[in-house]
Amino acid sequence: MAQQKVTVSFYLEKTKPNSEGKCLIKMVVYSNPNKKRYSTDNHVTEAEWEKMNASNLRDNSLKTIKTKLGSTREKAEKIIEKMEHFSFVAFEEIYFENKPNNTSKLLKHWFDTYINEFKMNDQVGSASSYISTFNSLDKYKSNLMLQDITPAFLQSYENHMVKVGSSISTVGIYLRQLRAILNRAIKDGALPANLYPFKKYQIPASRNVKKALQEAELKILFNHIPAKSDEVKALDFWKLSYLCNGMNFADIIALKRDNINGNFLNFMRVKTIRTKKKDLTPIKVGLHPKAIVIIEKYKNPDTDSPYLFSILEPKLNAVTIKNRCKRFIKWVNLRMEKIRVDLNIDKDLNTYSARHSFSTTLMRKGISTQFIKESLGHSSIAVTENYLASFNDDVKLETINLLTDF
């Protein structure tokens, strides 16, 4: 028996109705003061939800859903009852391990399973990306089965995507995600290994040649003082990203006060926390004096908030955090584009360019790839080498000019 009171209930996620106007029913497990929500795969309208909770329910289809929810609650409560000390991690291990084996051959089932797991882990961006992939495949050919994904189908789909104007990069993303789905289906025994199509089909790959700023351009940018206060703020946060190991803006807005320890900033990449299960090594940044000035300038005035900046506040869900991040990046990019035009810089000054410029500056100065890897938070040297390769043409031209730099 659990030593603390843990309750199981259901609620209707009314903020995101589907095309039929129906909303997802979620199971809520509450363990004071924390709670977590889990999808049930059942959708109803708000009116149907009210009927389901009334005492005189007559609708047979709603009765079926209510019965299924009852079974879900019973399963969860039995697991909780057997736990001596409740924890959400232990609960989820048992709850999801007890799910029936995945035997469906329908491709949509496997995408839905993957997407629901992403949502449960608050990986909103990954869930959205897999939804886009499935929608693209379903638009090309609906009601696909696992065994329909053959080498010939993959080549035909690639040709179609290129013909309608999709970039090779987009096609590659979609097909890598499809490959992950099929690998999962084979692992779970729903697709025979001999039907794996990616042994005979190669996913197209393109290298996005990134353009980092030259030292002279960086000097111009750092000396620039915009006339408008909003452009000053956008440029300050761009500089902060550049000065703090090319920190992603998703990581900047998620910074907490306790990430700063003296003249150092220690943080975990949001992306890494959600995707890696081991070797979670924090990135340690030596704070440049200019970075300290920017941090102090925009530090959250609400001392009760754990966040370093006032872009987020406590208790926001993952979707809201993702949307706040997108809006802030868009806000910065719009103003950095105005600054780019004013300064006659011919390269992008978006938020990604700060990361590109940081890594390329280190590479030009002969800093080791190992150090750059650790600074960027990459998982391996190979990832960093592939990332830096996108800058090599630019660096090669600089190097050849040194031959006559007497």
Side-chain angles (χ1 to χ4, degrees):
M1 177 68 70
Q3 293 183 353
Q4 63 193 91
K5 182 66 174 176
V6 182
T7 60
V8 180
S9 60
F10 297 96
Y11 92 110
L12 191 66
E13 181 66 83
K14 299 178 182 179
T15 58
K16 288 191 174 182
N18 60 20
S19 59
E20 299 176 341
K22 295 187 175 185
C23 305
L24 179 64
I25 300 173
K26 289 190 173 182
M27 178 178 73
V28 183
V29 178
Y30 179 77
S31 175
N32 188 28
N34 302 309
K35 65 181 177 182
K36 291 196 72 171
R37 298 166 178 172
Y38 306 93
S39 299
T40 67
D41 297 328
N42 294 295
H43 293 76
V44 294
T45 63
E46 291 188 43
E48 289 172 335
W49 177 247
E50 291 182 7
K51 287 182 181 179
M52 283 179 57
N53 291 285
S55 57
N56 58 341
L57 180 60
R58 297 179 181 179
D59 188 304
N60 288 330
S61 61
L62 295 181
K63 283 183 178 179
T64 300
I65 294 176
K66 191 169 185 177
T67 299
K68 289 170 64 178
L69 294 179
S71 298
T72 299
R73 182 203 296 268
E74 182 180 1
K75 172 186 172 182
E77 289 177 339
K78 283 183 178 180
I79 293 171
I80 293 168
E81 184 178 357
K82 293 179 180 179
M83 297 174 67
E84 183 176 354
H85 299 287
F86 178 82
S87 78
F88 285 103
V89 173
F91 169 77
E92 289 166 7
E93 284 182 359
I94 301 171
Y95 182 82
F96 291 106
E97 184 66 26
N98 288 340
K99 276 193 171 182
N101 291 331
N102 284 317
T103 57
S104 174
K105 304 293 184 182
L106 193 65
L107 186 65
K108 183 179 186 301
H109 163 83
W110 291 89
F111 266 94
D112 287 345
T113 299
Y114 234 61
I115 290 164
N116 285 335
E117 289 178 5
F118 282 133
K119 289 180 177 179
M120 186 191 73
N121 292 324
D122 289 340
Q123 293 174 257
V124 179
S126 294
S128 177
S129 182
Y130 271 74
I131 289 171
S132 297
T133 295
F134 175 75
N135 288 341
S136 173
L137 289 164
D138 192 56
K139 184 177 181 180
Y140 178 63
K141 184 176 181 181
S142 60
N143 300 317
L144 283 165
M145 307 297 286
L146 293 173
Q147 59 269 27
D148 291 333
I149 312 301
T150 64
F153 170 86
L154 293 171
Q155 188 61 60
S156 176
Y157 174 71
E158 177 192 330
N159 295 342
H160 161 76
M161 292 295 286
V162 172
K163 185 177 181 180
V164 299
S166 297
S167 68
I168 292 298
S169 177
T170 297
V171 177
I173 291 171
Y174 286 177
L175 290 175
R176 284 192 294 274
Q177 292 181 348
L178 176 59
R179 181 176 62 189
I181 293 290
L182 295 189
N183 284 332
R184 174 74 168 270
I186 290 173
K187 180 181 177 182
D188 288 1
L191 180 69
N194 65 325
L195 294 183
Y196 185 62
F198 289 95
K199 288 182 178 179
K200 298 181 180 180
Y201 168 83
Q202 185 173 359
I203 296 174
S206 65
R207 175 165 288 163
N208 180 22
V209 179
K210 309 176 185 72
K211 292 184 178 180
L213 298 182
Q214 303 285 344
E215 287 189 22
E217 293 167 324
L218 285 167
K219 185 175 181 179
I220 291 171
L221 195 59
F222 268 78
N223 289 332
H224 178 59
I225 303 176
K228 296 181 179 180
S229 60
D230 59 338
E231 291 179 14
V232 171
K233 182 177 180 179
L235 179 55
D236 280 342
F237 273 93
W238 191 97
K239 291 177 182 177
L240 183 65
S241 172
Y242 173 81
L243 294 169
C244 294
N245 292 17
M247 185 187 298
N248 285 315
F249 270 63
D251 297 319
I252 290 176
I253 72 168
L255 284 173
K256 305 288 182 64
R257 296 177 188 275
D258 57 11
N259 287 129
I260 295 182
N261 183 13
N263 290 325
F264 289 92
L265 175 65
N266 297 276
F267 72 98
M268 297 291 303
R269 292 188 66 190
V270 172
K271 177 181 178 180
T272 302
I273 293 173
R274 290 173 178 167
T275 57
K276 291 182 70 175
K277 296 181 182 291
K278 60 181 180 179
D279 300 328
L280 293 173
T281 305
I283 298 173
K284 187 173 184 177
V285 180
L287 286 173
H288 190 285
K290 291 181 184 294
I292 294 174
V293 170
I294 294 170
I295 290 170
E296 289 298 321
K297 183 177 180 180
Y298 298 101
K299 184 181 288 185
N300 194 341
D302 181 4
T303 55
D304 292 329
S305 173
Y307 288 106
L308 185 60
F309 303 115
S310 55
I311 303 165
L312 301 178
E313 58 265 7
K315 298 182 179 180
L316 296 178
N317 62 41
V319 174
T320 302
I321 291 173
K322 184 72 174 181
N323 289 337
R324 290 275 185 94
C325 184
K326 285 182 177 179
R327 286 202 300 269
F328 186 61
I329 288 173
K330 182 178 181 180
W331 185 90
V332 170
N333 283 341
L334 286 172
R335 285 148 185 82
M336 290 303 295
E337 172 61 16
K338 177 66 167 57
I339 291 171
R340 184 195 70 79
V341 173
D342 289 344
L343 297 179
N344 293 316
I345 293 175
D346 63 356
K347 301 183 182 73
D348 286 336
L349 286 184
N350 55 33
T351 56
Y352 288 115
S353 69
R355 186 170 177 81
H356 302 335
S357 297
F358 161 78
S359 53
T360 309
T361 297
L362 294 188
M363 181 173 66
R364 287 180 178 130
K365 294 183 180 298
I367 302 300
S368 72
T369 304
Q370 177 64 34
F371 182 88
I372 298 175
K373 165 195 171 295
E374 293 174 3
S375 300
L376 293 173
H378 284 163
S379 58
S380 69
I381 286 288
V383 173
T384 306
E385 289 174 343
N386 185 57
Y387 180 83
L388 294 176
S390 302
F391 304 109
N392 278 347
D393 286 347
D394 187 29
V395 176
K396 286 173 184 175
L397 288 175
E398 293 177 25
T399 304
I400 201 69
N401 289 331
L402 293 177
L403 294 174
T404 55
D405 188 14
F406 303 124

